[in-house]
Amino acid sequence: MKIINDIIEWLVQTGLLSVLAIFLLKQLKPVLDNKAEHASTEQSKALWMLLEQVADMAVTSLVSQDKSGREKFDEASMIVNDVMRKQGYRLDSQVIHTAVQSAYEKSDLTPTVNTKEDK
């Protein structure tokens, strides 16, 4: 036990322990940064998927209502904003409008236009 104690004391007194700690931190920092970036990316993907699903449901729920397109768009945007706030996310109105517009364009409400002319 005294030998282990002497070795640890020698490492501390010579500064070798500090050098070793600094070396390990420099080696681990890129790995930890990469992990943090990956987690952030995955969280952003999950948030965008949730936003798309909420926007799709909001647009689909307003299909049969007798309102103008602008009124439906505004109501869908309000629904998406309310749901996302209840989930704890504060999103910019432009992001919400983009998600609702994307959901509308993917839905059956948007007619398909053929650019090729039948000859």
Side-chain angles (χ1 to χ4, degrees):
M1 191 69 166
K2 184 174 178 353
I3 295 173
I4 295 173
N5 215 9
D6 289 342
I7 292 172
I8 292 173
E9 188 176 327
W10 178 78
L11 286 173
V12 170
Q13 286 179 355
T14 59
L16 191 58
L17 190 62
S18 298
V19 171
L20 184 62
I22 291 171
F23 175 76
L24 288 175
L25 284 175
K26 287 194 177 201
Q27 294 300 317
L28 289 177
K29 186 170 179 3
V31 173
L32 295 176
D33 288 344
N34 190 16
K35 292 277 186 187
E37 184 178 327
H38 178 70
S40 176
T41 302
E42 288 298 317
Q43 185 179 15
S44 295
K45 281 184 192 177
L47 176 61
W48 188 254
M49 285 176 48
L50 175 65
L51 179 61
E52 284 180 333
Q53 290 173 350
V54 170
D56 286 340
M57 286 188 282
V59 167
T60 303
S61 70
L62 297 173
V63 169
S64 61
Q65 290 190 2
D66 188 26
K67 294 181 178 181
S68 70
R70 185 66 194 175
E71 290 173 336
K72 288 180 183 179
F73 181 83
D74 290 340
E75 189 171 343
S77 297
M78 285 182 2
I79 291 170
V80 170
N81 191 23
D82 290 343
V83 169
M84 296 306 286
R85 281 187 182 220
K86 287 178 183 174
Q87 293 295 322
Y89 299 109
R90 305 271 185 235
L91 299 176
D92 186 42
S93 63
Q94 187 62 37
V95 172
I96 292 172
H97 292 308
T98 302
V100 170
Q101 182 66 34
S102 174
Y104 173 74
E105 289 174 1
K106 288 186 221 172
S107 74
D108 294 334
L109 300 174
T110 306
T112 305
V113 177
N114 288 335
T115 56
K116 291 184 175 181
E117 294 180 25
D118 293 329
K119 292 185 179 180

